[in-house]
Amino acid sequence: MRLLSVRLIVSLILGITLVSAGFSYYDVLGEKRALRNDLERRAEMLGESLVGNVERSWNAGSDIVTNSSVPNNAPNNVPNKELQRLVQRFGNREHLLGVVIYDRQGALVAMTPELTKTLTVSPPPVMQAITQGHEESSFARLGSVPVHILALPIRREDEVVGGLAVVHDVGYIRAQIVLVWRRTFFRVLVQVFLIVLITLLIVRWSIAGPIAQAALWMRALRTGKISFRQELPDLDIFRPLAREVATMAESLSQARNAAENEARLREAGESMWTADRLSVQLRTRLEDSHLFVVSNREPYIHQRDGKTLNVVVPPSGLVTALESVLNACDGTWIAHGSGNADAEVVDAHNRLRVPPEDPRYSLRRVWLTKEEEEGYYYGFANEGLWPLCHIAHTRPLFRAADWQHYQDVNRKFMAAVLEEIEKVVKPVVLVQDYHFALLPRLIKEMRPDARVAIFWHIPWPNPEAFGICPWQRQLVDGLLGADLIGFHIQSHCNNFLETVDRVVESRVDREHFSVLRQDHRTMVRPFPISVAFTDDDAAGNHNQGFDYLERSALMRSLDVEATFMGIGVDRVDYTKGILERFLAIERFLDKYPSYQGKFTFVQIGAPSRTHIKRYHNLLAEVEAEADRINWRFRSGKWKPIVFLKRQHSHQEIEPYYRAADLCLVTSLHDGMNLVAKEFLATRRDERGVLILSQFTGAARELRDALLVNPYDIDQTADAIRAALEMEPEDKQLRMQRMRKVIKEHNIYRWAGNLITELCEVRLDVPEDVQEKVSASASGA
Ligand code: G6P
C-alpha cells in the first residue's frame, strides 16, 4: 500500500511537472517574442524619425565636424558635426546602446560615444541596408553584448548615400526571461505540490476510504459478523464491485462451511442434513431428471411503483422453506405471477431466473385473471378450504362459482406443468398445498411416468369437520392421484386416511399408510417441515452472548423503554390467535403488576389476504385491541404492546428474535408454524424462551417449549411470567435441546426425505405408455 502511494506520488509529480513545464515553456517563448517585438517597434520608430533628420542635415550639408571619436576617413561633403550632434541627441533612450552613421562605402560618419568601444567595424546589416536600399533588422552580439541592430538606408533624392544603425542593448530581455523562468519555476513547484495534495486527498476520500470500508465490511462478512444479504455500506463507485464480491464471498463461505461440516460430520459419524448433502442426494435420486415445484405463492414478486421496480419476498412459511430446496438443486418453480410488474421481467416462456441477486433456479409464472384469482384463491382456497382445515371457528364459505374457478385454475396449472415437463423423462413434481388438491390426478392422467407428490402445509381436520365440504369427494380423489401425500404430523395423516375411508371407494392400508384406488397406490406420510438451520458452530458464533445494546437500540428505535421484551411474528390471520395473545398479555400485567412499566411485547404483523372481509376486519380488531390495552396501561415512555403493521424481511425480523426474552406463538390451529423454529434457529446465545400453542404441528417436536392452550388466557399469562422468571440454566437447557431438534430435522432433511420417498415409489406405467412418453420427451 505504502509502495503504491510512493509510486502514485512520483508519477503525479513527474506528470504534472512535465505538463506544467511544457505550458510554461510556451509562455516564456511568448514573453520573449513580445519583448523582442516591442524592442523592434521602438527601434523602428526611433530609426525612422532619426533617418528623416539625418537625411535633412545630409542634404543641406557643408562643414565637417572634427570629433576624436570619428575617424578621419569621413567624406568631406558630409556634415559630420551636425550629424554627430544629431546622433548624440537621440543617443540616451532606454536600452539604446547607440546610433551610428556610415557613408555609402561603409566609412564612419557619426557615432554616439558609447558605441566606440564595441563597434569597430560597420555591422553587416548596415551594409545590406545600403546595398539593398531597405531597412534591415537583426539580433546579434557585439563582443559579449547581445544587441539588436536596426539599419536604415540614408537617401538623397532617391539615391542611397549612406546608412544608419540604431543599436539596442538586449541584455534586459534575457534578464527579464530569467526572471520569468524563476517565477515559473516557483509557480510550477507550488502547483505540483497543491495538485498532488488535492489528488491524494480525493483518492483518500473517494477511493481509499471506500476501499478501507469495503475491506472492513468484507472482513465482517468473512468472519460472519454480518449477513451476506445485509445492506452494503455506501461504497460509492465501488458499489457494483462490492455486490459481486458479496456474492462471491457468500459462495466461498458456503463452500467453506459445507467442507467444514462434511469433515465434522465424517468425524462425528453424524448424519446431519445440509444444503450440499441435499444437492448430492437430489442429483443421485433424480438422475437425469429434474425437480418441479408447484405452488400458488411465488417466491419473488415484482412490483412497480412509478419508475421503481421492487422485488418483494412474500411472508409465507412455504416460500421460506422451499426456497432453500430449489437453491440446492436448480429446479423449476411454477407459481402464480401476482406482481403488477411480473410480466415485465419474464422471457417468452414466462420464465426468469431467481433469486434476482444470485440466480440459481427457474421461476415459471402462470397468469390468472382477476375473476380466477377471486374465485380460486380468495374464494375457494381461502374462504373455503382454509377455515375448513383450521379449527379456528371461522365458518367456511363454499360457493359453486368459486369451486368452478378452483377447478379451472388447477387445469391451468396442469397445462403449465405439462409444458415444463414436456421434454423431461420421469420428472419429479412436488405440488404444494391446498390450492392444488386436484392437480396431482390431472398431471398423472397425462403423464403417468411423472412422480407426483403433494405436500399439504395446513392441518387436515377429522372426517366430520372435512365432511361439510360439498366437493370433498372430488378433492380427495384429486389428491389420491399423487404417488405420495405429505402432511406435517402423523395425526393429519390419520385424519386424512379416515376421510378417504369415508369418502371414496378405496383400500386403506393402515399398516403401510397407503391408499389403493383404481390400481394406483398413494403413500401417506408425515414430513415435519422446518427451517434451513444447519450447524451454527460453523459460523463461529456459538454461545455468543446476549446483546443488551442491540436490545436497547431496538427499543429506542420503537420509542419505548422497557426492561423485558417479547416478540410475535405472524401474518395477520385469525388462525394465529393474535387477539388471544394480546388478552394474555393484558391478563399477565393485571395478575403480575410488578411487570407494568417493564414488559413490552412487539407484535410484527404482516397484513394478509385483506381483500377478504374477515381478514380486513381482523386487522382493524388487532389494532384496536393493542390500542385499548396500551391506553389502559401505558405510562411515560413505556407501553405494553408495539404493533408493527407491515411485512418485515427476514433480515429485519432477526434482531427482534435475538433481543427478545420470549417468543409467543399462540396459533389456534397451525399445520407446523415456522416462526417458532426460526426463533430457535436465531438464538445462538441459547437464551430466550419459546411459548408455543399446543395446537401447532411444531408442538409435537418442540417439547421443551412452554406449551399453552391459547384459548386459556390465564395459562398463557402464567407462561409469560414463567418464561421471564425461568432460571438461566433451565432456559439454556431447553433452548439447547430444541435447537438440536431443529438442527437435526431441518428443511434439507424434510426435502431429502420427501424426495427420497417419492423416488422410491414403484411406478406401474404400462410399457406402451412409457415408450410413448419417453419418445416424446426425447423429441422423437
Ligand atoms: C400458509 C399456507 C401457504 C401460504 C401462506 C401465506 O402458510 O400454507 O400456502 O402461501 O400461508 O399465505 P398467502 O395466501 O399469502 O400465500
Side-chain angles (χ1 to χ4, degrees):
M1 182 70 192
R2 181 148 298 165
L3 193 65
L4 194 76
S5 341
V6 172
R7 256 192 233 164
L8 181 74
I9 293 170
V10 170
S11 345
L12 271 174
I13 292 177
L14 281 179
I16 300 165
T17 309
L18 275 177
V19 173
S20 299
F23 280 113
S24 306
Y25 178 69
Y26 275 103
D27 283 353
V28 172
L29 278 189
E31 178 84 17
K32 192 169 168 185
R33 210 172 301 122
L35 285 168
R36 282 179 163 213
N37 289 345
D38 179 56
L39 178 67
E40 279 174 330
R41 223 176 26 255
R42 273 192 288 134
E44 243 166 63
M45 276 160 61
L46 179 62
E48 272 163 18
S49 75
L50 195 55
V51 86
N53 286 320
V54 170
E55 279 173 353
R56 239 172 282 121
S57 303
W58 198 298
N59 293 342
S62 56
D63 52 330
I64 297 165
V65 175
T66 48
N67 184 331
S68 60
S69 65
V70 179
N72 275 340
N73 58 357
N76 286 346
N77 59 344
V78 174
N80 301 49
K81 196 175 160 197
E82 180 57 28
L83 291 180
Q84 186 61 34
R85 222 179 14 249
L86 199 63
V87 293
Q88 269 176 242
R89 184 147 56 85
F90 279 89
N92 56 351
R93 307 288 170 98
E94 196 188 7
H95 304 306
L96 184 67
L97 204 56
V99 178
V100 60
I101 299 172
Y102 297 94
D103 69 6
R104 195 172 31 205
Q105 280 73 39
L108 182 65
V109 175
M111 177 188 268
T112 49
E114 293 79 10
L115 273 182
T116 47
K117 277 183 223 129
T118 42
L119 198 63
T120 46
V121 290
S122 58
V126 181
M127 290 321 292
Q128 277 168 11
I130 292 170
T131 50
Q132 290 167 11
H134 58 70
E135 93 178 32
E136 277 300 320
S137 163
S138 75
F139 288 87
R141 297 193 83 83
L142 289 182
S144 61
V145 185
V147 294
H148 172 256
I149 301 172
L150 176 73
L152 298 144
I154 303 168
R155 286 194 168 80
R156 183 160 54 189
E157 293 167 3
D158 285 347
E159 189 199 347
V160 178
V161 291
L164 170 129
V166 176
V167 183
H168 275 96
D169 181 350
V170 294
Y172 79 94
I173 295 187
R174 172 167 300 199
Q176 187 73 16
I177 295 303
V178 169
L179 213 71
V180 173
W181 267 122
R182 192 171 302 151
R183 252 197 339 255
T184 304
F185 173 75
F186 284 112
R187 199 191 65 211
V188 168
L189 206 68
V190 173
Q191 224 167 32
V192 168
F193 175 74
L194 287 179
I195 295 178
V196 168
L197 188 74
I198 290 169
T199 312
L200 287 179
L201 286 179
I202 292 174
V203 165
R204 191 164 182 78
W205 280 329
S206 63
I207 300 179
I211 286 182
Q213 228 185 322
L216 276 179
W217 173 71
M218 278 156 68
R219 187 177 313 147
L221 275 187
R222 182 167 51 80
T223 50
K225 289 200 179 114
I226 56 170
S227 134
F228 292 102
R229 292 179 196 276
Q230 199 156 315
E231 198 34 35
L232 299 178
D234 188 11
L235 297 179
D236 205 357
I237 49 174
F238 296 102
R239 217 175 160 71
L241 188 68
R243 215 170 280 131
E244 282 307 308
V245 170
T247 313
M248 203 166 80
E250 181 176 14
S251 313
L252 286 178
S253 156
Q254 279 170 353
R256 194 180 58 193
N257 287 347
E260 282 173 5
N261 263 343
E262 279 307 312
R264 206 182 356 263
L265 292 180
R266 260 198 310 278
E267 209 164 281
E270 275 182 52
S271 62
M272 208 184 78
W273 278 85
T274 61
D276 295 276
R277 181 167 167 200
L278 177 64
S279 333
V280 174
Q281 172 91 353
L282 292 183
R283 271 200 298 277
T284 323
R285 291 286 169 187
L286 297 176
E287 292 169 6
D288 294 335
S289 192
H290 200 72
L291 181 71
F292 299 86
V293 168
V294 189
S295 77
N296 169 69
R297 188 57 74 194
E298 57 180 343
Y300 295 96
I301 305 176
H302 286 85
Q303 290 287 10
R304 183 164 287 291
D305 185 5
K307 284 201 171 142
T308 348
L309 184 65
N310 296 318
V311 183
V312 181
V313 177
S316 154
L318 176 152
V319 165
T320 315
L322 286 170
E323 168 95 323
S324 355
V325 178
L326 269 291
N327 273 340
C329 72
D330 190 359
T332 300
W333 189 328
I334 303 159
H336 168 210
S338 57
N340 64 12
D342 273 1
E344 287 176 34
V345 292
V346 293
D347 65 13
H349 302 282
N350 298 317
R351 295 186 196 123
L352 74 156
R353 297 283 293 168
V354 288
E357 73 280 7
D358 180 20
R360 291 178 183 209
Y361 64 91
S362 300
L363 171 60
R364 158 76 194 266
R365 284 176 169 154
V366 177
W367 313 115
L368 300 182
T369 64
K370 275 261 162 282
E371 295 70 39
E372 282 170 336
E373 194 180 346
E374 174 76 40
Y376 136 85
Y377 170 75
Y378 286 108
F380 194 75
N382 285 318
E383 287 193 285
L385 290 180
W386 181 268
L388 176 73
C389 292
H390 288 93
I391 313 296
H393 311 287
T394 288
R395 189 183 165 147
L397 295 175
F398 296 114
R399 304 180 193 95
D402 291 348
W403 168 238
Q404 189 55 51
H405 279 303
Y406 186 83
Q407 296 173 79
D408 294 345
V409 171
N410 270 248
R411 267 187 231 108
K412 205 173 211 180
F413 270 81
M414 169 199 71
V417 172
L418 292 181
E419 227 174 275
E420 292 298 320
I421 64 177
E422 194 189 5
K423 300 241 172 305
V424 186
V425 185
K426 293 189 184 167
V428 175
V429 185
L430 293 188
V431 180
Q432 306 298 317
D433 235 353
Y434 59 99
H435 309 90
F436 298 116
L438 307 178
L439 194 53
R441 184 162 301 286
L442 290 173
I443 298 173
K444 284 293 272 195
E445 272 171 2
M446 304 301 292
R447 285 291 300 266
D449 66 318
R451 292 175 186 276
V452 179
I454 181 162
F455 191 81
W456 198 258
H457 288 257
I458 61 177
W460 190 279
N462 61 48
E464 287 76 22
F466 198 79
I468 66 168
C469 175
W471 301 286
Q472 62 161 336
R473 205 189 59 77
Q474 289 92 321
L475 292 169
V476 169
D477 181 59
L479 287 168
L480 290 176
D483 301 299
L484 174 67
I485 303 178
F487 292 97
H488 288 301
I489 54 175
Q490 187 61 51
S491 72
H492 298 161
C493 299
N494 298 346
N495 285 345
F496 176 73
L497 290 179
E498 275 175 42
T499 311
V500 170
D501 220 4
R502 293 201 194 179
V503 173
V504 292
E505 278 287 308
S506 63
R507 236 186 60 221
V508 174
D509 179 348
R510 286 182 201 282
E511 207 185 315
H512 297 103
F513 283 93
S514 66
V515 179
L516 190 66
R517 175 164 162 77
Q518 294 160 353
D519 291 336
H520 175 72
R521 184 173 299 280
T522 305
M523 314 291 294
V524 180
R525 295 273 187 281
F527 299 97
I529 205 162
S530 192
V531 289
F533 178 39
T534 50
D535 198 342
D536 51 335
D537 288 354
N541 285 320
H542 185 63
N543 244 339
Q544 177 191 328
F546 174 76
D547 193 343
Y548 284 100
L549 284 181
E550 190 174 20
R551 148 102 63 93
S552 37
L554 214 53
M555 297 309 273
R556 244 196 330 277
S557 72
L558 300 173
D559 205 19
V560 176
E561 272 173 15
T563 321
F564 304 101
M565 182 201 144
I567 179 73
V569 181
D570 304 84
R571 279 183 310 104
V572 181
D573 191 300
Y574 52 83
T575 60
K576 301 295 178 184
I578 301 174
L579 291 173
E580 287 74 6
R581 192 178 308 172
F582 285 0
L583 290 178
I585 291 163
E586 181 183 28
R587 184 84 188 101
F588 161 72
L589 293 172
D590 271 332
K591 245 176 136 172
Y592 309 106
S594 61
Y595 283 99
Q596 289 180 21
K598 293 197 180 113
F599 176 76
T600 291
F601 183 73
V602 179
Q603 175 65 51
I604 294 179
S608 170
R609 306 172 191 166
T610 45
H611 185 54
I612 298 172
K613 199 160 167 256
R614 177 75 175 90
Y615 283 83
H616 180 84
N617 293 345
L618 177 73
L619 194 59
E621 274 173 56
V622 169
E623 262 187 303
E625 197 59 1
D627 281 349
R628 183 187 65 75
I629 297 169
N630 280 339
W631 185 83
R632 252 199 81 192
F633 291 100
R634 77 180 311 155
S635 74
K637 281 214 133 198
W638 174 79
K639 61 177 172 177
I641 298 175
V642 176
F643 179 42
L644 302 176
K645 188 183 79 173
R646 74 166 171 85
Q647 194 206 324
H648 287 58
S649 66
H650 292 294
Q651 288 74 28
E652 285 177 302
I653 296 171
E654 252 203 58
Y656 288 98
Y657 280 149
R658 278 202 305 265
D661 293 292
L662 57 91
C663 176
L664 265 171
V665 175
T666 54
S667 309
L668 305 181
H669 199 188
D670 217 329
M672 171 54 69
N673 194 289
L674 287 183
V675 167
K677 294 189 174 179
E678 273 162 15
F679 170 69
L680 300 173
T682 314
R683 297 311 294 252
R684 296 191 184 98
D685 62 350
E686 297 177 343
R687 295 167 75 151
V689 179
L690 175 65
I691 299 176
L692 180 62
S693 158
Q694 66 189 76
F695 305 126
T696 58
R700 310 296 162 111
E701 293 170 273
L702 305 174
R703 309 307 296 179
D704 281 290
L706 297 185
L707 295 181
V708 292
N709 168 0
Y711 293 94
D712 186 341
I713 305 298
D714 263 275
Q715 189 194 20
T716 311
D718 288 342
I720 296 174
R721 179 176 176 225
L724 293 177
E725 294 179 7
M726 190 183 283
E727 289 300 323
E729 298 73 33
D730 192 10
K731 269 188 206 172
Q732 187 177 23
L733 196 67
R734 285 167 183 265
M735 189 50 89
Q736 279 172 348
R737 285 201 292 240
M738 288 191 287
R739 279 167 64 81
K740 186 162 182 284
V741 169
I742 55 164
K743 197 164 86 180
E744 285 171 5
H745 295 86
N746 58 17
I747 186 65
Y748 305 114
R749 176 184 284 242
W750 175 83
N753 287 351
L754 183 67
I755 293 163
T756 305
E757 188 98 31
L758 179 59
C759 291
E760 272 166 12
V761 167
R762 233 193 45 233
L763 293 182
D764 294 321
V765 188
E767 249 172 50
D768 54 327
V769 176
Q770 183 59 58
E771 271 168 25
K772 230 168 80 191
V773 288
S774 301
S776 95
S778 61

